[in-house]
Amino acid sequence: QVQLVESGGGLVQPGGSLRLSCTASRSIKAPNAMAWYRQAPGKQREVVATITSGGGTNYADSVKGRFTISRGNAQNTVYLQMNSLKPEDTAVYYCNALYMGSHYWGQGTQVTVSS
C-alpha cells in the first residue's frame, strides 16, 4: 500500500510559523490531488487546504490568508506553510493524497500553538 509521511510539526508560540511537509511513496508518481486535514481533540476531522494536479488550491475559511499549500517538483510531495498561528490551530495535521480514485493518509503530525 501507499505510504505518506508527514513532518514539521511541533510547539510554536501564537503568531509564529511552521512548515509541514508530506512525501508519498514512489508508487504515487503524480497524485490527482493532495490535501491537509486536521483534527483537534474531541473534534471532527476537517479539511484545511487542497491542491490539484493543475495547481488549483482551496482553503478553509479559518486559515485563509495565513496558510499556503504548495506542491514539490516531484508531484508526490506537498507542503503547508502556516503563518500567524493561533491556539485554535492546535491539532494533529494529516496529509492526504488522491490517486486513481482512492484516498491515502499519513499518520499525522502534532501542531501545538501555545505561549
Side-chain angles (χ1 to χ4, degrees):
Q1 293 184 344
V2 175
Q3 294 183 336
L4 301 176
V5 179
E6 304 101 334
S7 64
L11 175 64
V12 65
Q13 295 181 349
S17 298
L18 285 174
R19 181 183 179 224
L20 305 183
S21 300
C22 173
T23 301
S25 69
R26 294 184 180 275
S27 62
I28 300 181
K29 296 182 179 180
N32 298 108
M34 299 190 76
W36 288 96
Y37 289 74
R38 68 185 181 187
Q39 186 169 20
K43 302 294 184 180
Q44 293 291 128
R45 183 182 61 189
E46 63 176 351
V47 64
V48 177
T50 62
I51 186 166
T52 67
S53 60
T57 59
N58 193 42
Y59 297 91
D61 289 341
S62 60
V63 307
K64 286 182 178 178
R66 300 188 297 120
F67 291 10
T68 302
I69 188 171
S70 61
R71 294 176 298 169
N73 292 335
Q75 299 296 309
N76 65 341
T77 60
V78 65
Y79 305 95
L80 185 68
Q81 179 66 46
M82 305 185 295
N83 299 326
S84 301
L85 283 162
K86 305 174 181 179
E88 51 263 44
D89 295 318
T90 296
V92 177
Y93 284 70
Y94 297 92
C95 181
N96 172 271
L98 175 61
Y99 181 65
M100 298 185 68
S102 297
H103 288 274
Y104 301 88
W105 296 89
Q107 293 184 340
T109 184
Q110 176 71 47
V111 172
T112 302
V113 184
S114 176
S115 61

